[in-house]
Amino acid sequence: MNKKQIRGIVRGLAGNVEEQAGKLVGNRELQRRGNARIVSARIEKFAGDAAATINTLLRRD
């Protein structure tokens, strides 16, 4: 697992917490920010997954 994958997972968790907190207190802006963070985290994790796949393919002999 590379740094981008880990950062994506952690930021996704933070986004989920932020979104749920927004739902709990009825703050739509907080929900939107949490949702945006989740989307950003998924993109970052996907980039990490792609990098890991490329590294694996390049290491094959």
Side-chain angles (χ1 to χ4, degrees):
M1 192 165 269
N2 62 35
K3 289 180 184 179
K4 283 189 179 202
Q5 290 170 314
I6 293 169
R7 265 196 313 247
I9 292 169
V10 171
R11 287 182 180 169
L13 292 172
N16 280 327
V17 169
E18 193 170 19
E19 183 182 29
Q20 292 304 318
K23 286 180 182 179
L24 184 65
V25 298
N27 185 334
R28 288 184 184 255
E29 181 60 30
L30 192 58
Q31 287 177 356
R32 285 189 200 111
R33 278 197 323 239
N35 196 22
R37 189 175 293 203
I38 291 168
V39 171
S40 173
R42 286 181 182 162
I43 292 168
E44 187 164 17
K45 184 177 178 307
F46 178 77
D49 291 344
T53 300
I54 290 169
N55 284 334
T56 301
L57 291 173
L58 291 176
R59 289 184 187 161
R60 289 187 182 171
D61 291 315

